[in-house]
Amino acid sequence: MSSTSSRPARTALLSIAATAVLLASSSVHATILYSNPGPFVTPIPDQRFARPWQVPGKEYSHDSDQSAAAPGGVGDPAQVIAWDGLQGGTADGLDYSTPAPPFSTNGEFQVDALANSHDALFKSLMILETAKVAFPDEAHLVFSFDDLAHTVLGSGLQAVTIPSAGPIATSGGKIVGGAGELSYELAGAFHPPSKQGIWATQAQINGMPLPDDVDGLDLWGPEPATTDDADKFSVDADTSGGGYSVWSYDISGAMLGSSPYISHDLVASLVRKYLELDESDFPDEMINVDALMVQDDIVPDTEFGPGDKILFSIRQVTATAAPDGFFATGSEIFYLDGSSTVGAPVGGFLQHGGHLWDKAYALANFTTQVIIDGESTADAVLDLNALEAIGIPEPASITLLLLGLATLPGRRRRRK
């Protein structure tokens, strides 16, 4: 595009104006209006990382699901919230209950994991060698923790509440965000192992009301984020999801609704394999996907098969029968390959930030002190419940961004 031409500049200004009108009309009831004119960056691996206001297309799920269109965070099952990351502005995004999915014909269900079929930076997030591609650990991980955790075995595995706001000091010697915030781990290719910190505060995610528990996250979609992007989701209890842990949602506008993507049996078989547990000890109803990223390389995007992969975490599961008190800490991050079968699951633990995200790492690094009964303290193990990735190249101009979105509506944020 020539810098001497005035037509692109006029087009960009008109696009900005149209976006402002759209946001004002769609978010008229929001406590703080969604508004972020950019400029935004594009998802390319780098040792630096983008700040929340620089990343386009941000959506989150709250526990319990809420609407941004009403003050006070009114409950709204299956509703996702778009956030601008700048002034704490929000607007309603996808509503997975419209139309109702086959596992919940009344639309009354809770969402607790979000992803896109081609999550940006997925292939730059982990160390993995395959016959076709190398995954180099060059993107930064973004994650959140559940507001519910359990104390260690010596303290009776008590259920405790994790603060919504950080800083939270961990046994790994790091400072991370609270349950209503987002934390990060820097890429191992550029930084020392386990470099972690707070990426987005409560006020940046939602200025009013402040979020108590961010339990699903999707980044790098089109702007405004109300145009929808997270076409993969999981529900609060996988066994209530019709036998499936991950669902596809039609975002084409044709209103075709939800369709099955990954079976719960497949997820459970991989989890049990890598946590070295039998089905008799760790039955299906205990296993629940609550954080998700997707890389669907092979079309159609609605079928999980060879060449496709997901990253996921499950909800924390305590057990007095386990030597350490946990069948799963909830902060393990698994990868599952689409070539898997229930009898022969293919995958493992994510390797990122210079370490494996396995159970041993979680127990050693994600324990924090909590106050019990207002007086005594105990150690509790944090439960990760949201996943995404960030990077940062040189900022893209707002003109290029808006024109790109206008001419490539299906482009998403993805690098295949």
Side-chain angles (χ1 to χ4, degrees):
M1 180 173 61
S2 169
S3 60
T4 59
S5 172
S6 61
R7 184 178 299 275
R10 289 198 300 272
T11 302
L13 290 174
L14 289 172
S15 298
I16 294 171
T19 299
V21 170
L22 171 64
L23 294 176
S25 61
S26 64
S27 307
V28 65
H29 299 298
T31 305
I32 300 178
L33 296 181
Y34 182 108
S35 178
N36 187 348
F40 301 102
V41 296
T42 51
I44 296 176
D46 192 274
Q47 62 181 340
R48 302 164 296 166
F49 65 89
R51 302 295 177 178
W53 59 87
Q54 296 176 299
V55 174
K58 298 177 293 295
E59 300 167 276
Y60 80 92
S61 169
H62 190 273
D63 185 21
S64 301
D65 295 343
Q66 293 181 348
S67 170
V74 173
D76 188 351
Q79 178 66 58
V80 172
I81 297 176
W83 55 293
D84 62 28
L86 188 62
Q87 302 293 337
T90 58
D92 278 348
L94 279 171
D95 185 338
Y96 295 108
S97 66
T98 307
F103 62 85
S104 178
T105 55
N106 62 5
E108 297 289 320
F109 62 95
Q110 294 289 310
V111 175
D112 73 346
L114 305 174
N116 180 272
S117 294
H118 308 285
D119 269 325
L121 298 168
F122 186 105
K123 291 182 178 180
S124 301
L125 192 63
M126 61 192 295
I127 292 289
L128 180 67
E129 296 288 338
T130 72
K132 295 182 179 180
V133 65
F135 295 67
D137 189 5
E138 293 180 346
H140 313 300
L141 186 70
V142 174
F143 54 94
S144 185
F145 292 112
D146 199 293
D147 67 344
L148 178 67
H150 290 84
T151 59
V152 296
L153 189 59
S155 298
L157 301 176
Q158 300 179 67
V160 293
T161 299
I162 300 301
S164 298
I168 292 176
T170 69
S171 53
K174 307 299 186 294
I175 296 296
V176 295
E181 300 179 318
L182 295 168
S183 304
Y184 68 82
E185 177 176 83
L186 298 181
F190 305 119
H191 300 277
S194 299
K195 291 284 289 183
Q196 296 165 355
I198 301 173
W199 185 61
T201 64
Q202 285 180 291
Q204 288 174 311
I205 297 169
N206 190 341
M208 190 180 299
L210 298 175
D212 296 322
D213 184 8
V214 173
D215 73 346
L217 180 66
D218 190 52
L219 306 175
W220 302 108
E223 278 290 328
T226 52
T227 55
D228 308 334
D229 189 59
D231 64 348
K232 297 288 185 286
F233 69 96
S234 184
V235 298
D236 188 54
D238 286 9
T239 49
S240 69
Y244 291 87
S245 287
V246 183
W247 286 78
S248 286
Y249 183 79
D250 177 43
I251 58 173
S252 68
M255 299 302 289
L256 299 179
S258 302
S259 59
Y261 186 62
I262 299 177
S263 74
H264 185 248
D265 286 343
L266 187 58
V267 167
S269 66
L270 181 118
V271 168
R272 282 193 285 259
K273 174 181 177 179
Y274 286 97
L275 292 180
E276 301 179 350
L277 292 165
D278 296 326
E279 185 174 357
S280 58
D281 297 323
F282 202 23
D284 285 357
E285 58 267 23
M286 288 186 177
I287 299 172
N288 178 66
V289 170
D290 65 356
L292 181 68
M293 289 186 70
V294 176
Q295 183 61 55
D296 195 307
D297 271 351
I298 310 300
V299 294
D301 290 347
T302 54
E303 293 181 8
F304 185 65
D308 302 331
K309 290 179 176 60
I310 65 167
L311 289 170
F312 70 96
S313 183
I314 65 170
R315 183 169 298 157
Q316 187 170 96
V317 181
T318 60
T320 54
D324 49 36
F326 295 86
F327 279 162
T329 68
S331 288
E332 301 89 355
I333 302 177
F334 304 87
Y335 76 88
L336 173 68
D337 193 280
S339 62
S340 298
T341 65
V342 172
V346 179
F349 293 108
L350 169 69
Q351 183 167 335
H352 179 272
H355 65 89
L356 277 179
W357 280 74
D358 59 5
K359 184 179 179 182
Y361 179 83
L363 287 170
N365 291 273
F366 286 141
T367 300
T368 188
Q369 282 207 329
V370 294
I371 298 176
I372 299 177
D373 301 327
E375 10 180 273
S376 58
T377 61
D379 289 334
V381 180
L382 297 169
D383 177 7
L384 182 149
N385 68 344
L387 280 177
E388 253 290 0
I390 52 173
I392 181 170
E394 294 301 318
S397 73
I398 187 63
T399 299
L400 288 175
L401 176 69
L402 290 171
L403 289 178
L405 291 176
T407 57
L408 296 173
R411 96 176 184 13
R412 168 68 167 155
R413 31 144 159 156
R414 317 302 171 187
R415 298 173 65 235
K416 289 195 176 183

